[in-house]
Amino acid sequence: MNLYIKKLNFRNLWFASLIILFAITHFTNDRLFLFAENLINIIGLKDLLLDNHHDVIVSSLFNPIRSFLFTISIIFFSFPIFRDIINWIKNHRDFHKKILTRKIILNALLVTFVMSILIIPNRIKSMGVGYEIMSFNPFETESGWYNTRLLMPFLANFVFLYGKFFYFIFFVLLIFVLIIITTYWLLHQDLGINTFQLISICTSSFIMYQFQLPGYPDVLLHILLLASIAFQFSNNSKIALLVLSLLTHESSLFITSILSIFILDKKSLVKFYGIFVIYLLFWVSGYGFDLSAALASHRYDNINSLQWVLQNPLREVLGIFFSYKLLWLFIIFSFLYLIKVNQKKKALLISLLVLSSIFMTLLAVDTSRLVGWSFIGLLLSVQTIHRMTLKGWRKKILNSIYIVNLMIPSIHYSLNVEPKWSKGLYVLYKVLAEHMIRAY
């Protein structure tokens, strides 16, 4: 009986922490002030002017309370993850031989070094600057694009790596963590992948974008999503990882809604979809339950992404291609092979992830970046291709694809701007092309 009560209390506290996290994410200070003003007008205290004390109320009341509640809630909500990690370490005394092996660390370091030469991540760029500023005090952020992406700036602030220099250090560390987990997953599949092939895979946009435009929360999102399939977490921990993904970036709902079907049992899936609905209710409530206003918040220059696609169809196509470059062949052939050998569930997961990421490009302008969010589909395709035990000329073709893929430059395509070339070896292609044009 006591055990049942403890479990019930834990579930209630866990659910309460979930609600607090969603509420703080979506009910920003400006929305709280608007609510307070409307409430004051309703009860007839029109002479009480909150605007005169706005800064004092925010700095002395709203921010400290929101910060304290969010910190406590995120720790408690993540408890299943911490518990699984601690139990895993206890049950595997040689855990350093399983995860942080010399082979994995050295490969990850080499990949990071080579990628940094191909594209130099020299500073925080574009919208990353907004997240950098947000890291100073995440809870001062007003409603808009940034407030629903609270988790990464919060974590930077929590570990005291905030501001112009330290936020960049924090971001680089997260890149390395993402590369380590990617390396771990690929090398522990017994696929026979060598370092050169690993580097070629990592030039896909899910990692390369982090070097092109540092500062975005995508890196943390990819870590959370990959961790949910790379490690043997319990269903409760997987739910927590998927929810933390929503707190990292609201658009992850497209990927998490699909991935959850394949990694959770039926009971946990129902639980997650219930949480999913609650999140959507909080999100829409922030816009007064006006769905059109919520969707309009993601417009750029007051033009929706579908219009951007129609105006720039070539950029859309090229953006999709440069997300995975020649590795699209792996996705196509692995899908056909999986259908042939009747592994339809895996084929369905790969196709749904890819299609959902392409659909996302109709809602936002960062084409090559967003298509890269389906990277788990790419990794599963790589796994499928390598498990086909290719020999002879087939193996030579496989290696040739990796070589050519690495030689193809990684270019960031957005619908609203010209293709972006970042500093590094890859930019030599652009320099050479411009030289040849001038020579003509």
Side-chain angles (χ1 to χ4, degrees):
M1 184 66 179
N2 288 335
L3 181 62
Y4 174 76
I5 293 174
K6 287 181 180 179
K7 285 184 177 180
L8 185 63
N9 288 336
F10 175 80
R11 288 173 185 169
N12 291 338
L13 288 172
W14 188 86
F15 184 74
S17 67
L18 171 75
I19 296 300
I20 291 171
L21 291 173
F22 285 175
I24 292 175
T25 298
H26 293 281
F27 297 156
T28 51
N29 289 334
D30 56 320
R31 286 170 174 168
L32 289 173
F33 260 93
L34 180 61
F35 174 78
E37 288 175 350
N38 291 335
L39 181 62
I40 287 170
N41 290 333
I42 289 173
I43 61 179
L45 299 176
K46 295 182 180 180
D47 296 332
L48 183 59
L49 300 177
L50 289 178
D51 287 341
N52 293 342
H53 308 285
H54 179 278
D55 293 339
V56 175
I57 293 173
V58 167
S59 61
S60 302
L61 184 64
F62 282 8
N63 285 345
I65 291 176
R66 283 155 58 81
S67 177
F68 174 77
L69 289 177
F70 194 89
T71 303
I72 296 299
S73 298
I74 205 76
I75 292 173
F76 192 86
F77 182 79
S78 303
F79 180 77
I81 301 173
F82 299 143
R83 181 178 56 196
D84 281 356
I85 293 174
I86 292 171
N87 289 337
W88 200 87
I89 294 174
K90 284 181 178 179
N91 296 330
H92 299 80
R93 298 291 182 182
D94 59 344
F95 123 96
H96 63 286
K97 297 179 181 178
K98 298 285 187 179
I99 304 293
L100 300 178
T101 64
R102 181 179 298 180
K103 183 178 181 181
I104 289 174
I105 294 297
L106 290 177
N107 271 280
L109 284 171
L110 182 58
V111 170
T112 306
F113 175 72
V114 173
M115 299 280 281
S116 299
I117 294 175
L118 295 174
I119 291 182
I120 303 171
N122 56 341
R123 60 184 174 85
I124 302 297
K125 298 178 182 178
S126 191
M127 281 184 67
V129 176
Y131 297 108
E132 174 191 286
I133 295 171
M134 189 178 173
S135 70
F136 279 105
N137 192 334
F139 302 99
E140 283 187 348
T141 307
E142 295 189 349
S143 56
W145 279 350
Y146 289 97
N147 71 285
T148 51
R149 305 161 192 182
L150 181 59
L151 185 58
M152 184 164 154
F154 164 78
L155 290 177
N157 185 274
F158 184 74
V159 298
F160 303 104
L161 292 175
Y162 52 85
K164 191 169 185 178
F165 175 75
F166 291 108
Y167 182 76
F168 179 74
I169 297 299
F170 176 72
F171 186 83
V172 170
L173 289 174
L174 287 183
I175 291 177
F176 187 58
V177 171
L178 175 59
I179 291 174
I180 282 182
I181 299 177
T182 304
T183 304
Y184 164 81
W185 190 85
L186 287 170
L187 295 185
H188 276 69
Q189 300 294 312
D190 296 323
L191 305 177
I193 290 178
N194 58 42
T195 304
F196 177 82
Q197 293 170 337
L198 181 62
I199 293 171
S200 184
I201 292 169
C202 288
T203 61
S204 301
S205 69
F206 78 100
I207 287 181
M208 191 54 93
Y209 182 81
Q210 319 313 323
F211 290 80
Q212 293 169 324
L213 290 174
Y216 283 63
D218 302 33
V219 62
L220 178 60
L221 171 63
H222 297 339
I223 288 171
L224 295 169
L225 294 175
L226 187 54
S228 70
I229 69 163
F231 305 111
Q232 295 180 345
F233 282 115
S234 65
N235 280 284
N236 285 334
S237 292
K238 290 176 183 177
I239 290 174
L241 288 168
L242 295 177
V243 173
L244 292 176
S245 299
L246 293 175
L247 295 174
T248 303
H249 199 297
E250 77 284 354
S251 296
S252 65
L253 58 88
F254 292 99
I255 301 297
T256 56
S257 62
I258 293 170
L259 188 60
S260 59
I261 299 173
F262 296 87
I263 67 173
L264 298 175
D265 60 29
K266 290 182 180 180
K267 183 178 178 181
S268 300
L269 182 61
V270 172
K271 183 178 180 180
F272 175 72
Y273 267 91
I275 294 171
F276 191 82
V277 171
I278 294 172
Y279 178 85
L280 290 177
L281 288 174
F282 270 100
W283 181 49
V284 178
S285 69
Y287 295 92
F289 292 97
D290 184 350
L291 185 58
S292 60
L295 294 175
S297 66
H298 285 69
R299 290 187 175 189
Y300 190 87
D301 286 347
N302 206 30
I303 302 174
N304 65 48
S305 295
L306 182 57
Q307 291 172 308
W308 280 110
V309 170
L310 295 176
Q311 290 178 17
N312 303 281
L314 182 59
R315 287 183 189 172
E316 173 75 359
V317 173
L318 290 174
I320 292 172
F321 169 76
F322 277 100
S323 296
Y324 299 135
K325 301 188 292 187
L326 214 57
L327 298 187
W328 277 109
L329 294 174
F330 288 0
I331 294 174
I332 295 169
F333 287 127
S334 66
F335 175 79
L336 296 174
Y337 174 77
L338 290 169
I339 294 295
K340 181 180 178 181
V341 297
N342 204 31
Q343 294 187 35
K344 295 180 180 179
K345 184 176 180 180
K346 190 174 181 180
L348 182 61
L349 173 57
I350 293 171
S351 59
L352 287 178
L353 287 174
V354 171
L355 289 174
S356 67
S357 66
I358 293 175
F359 174 75
M360 288 167 62
T361 66
L362 304 180
L363 303 175
V365 294
D366 295 334
T367 304
S368 57
R369 168 198 173 206
L370 293 174
V371 175
W373 284 25
S374 61
F375 71 98
I376 289 178
L378 170 66
L379 296 181
L380 292 175
S381 298
V382 170
Q383 179 195 62
T384 302
I385 294 295
H386 278 265
R387 283 184 175 172
M388 293 169 65
T389 59
L390 302 176
K391 296 180 180 179
W393 64 271
R394 290 184 176 88
K395 190 171 184 178
K396 289 181 180 179
I397 290 177
L398 177 70
N399 290 327
S400 298
I401 291 173
Y402 277 120
I403 293 170
V404 177
N405 181 72
L406 184 58
M407 292 176 64
I408 296 174
S410 294
I411 309 170
H412 172 57
Y413 271 86
S414 287
L415 297 173
N416 60 316
V417 293
E418 292 295 323
K420 292 183 179 179
W421 291 79
S422 302
K423 293 180 180 179
L425 280 181
Y426 274 151
V427 80
L428 293 178
Y429 283 89
K430 181 184 179 184
V431 174
L432 181 61
E434 290 175 344
H435 178 74
M436 292 176 65
I437 291 173
R438 285 195 298 268
Y440 248 137

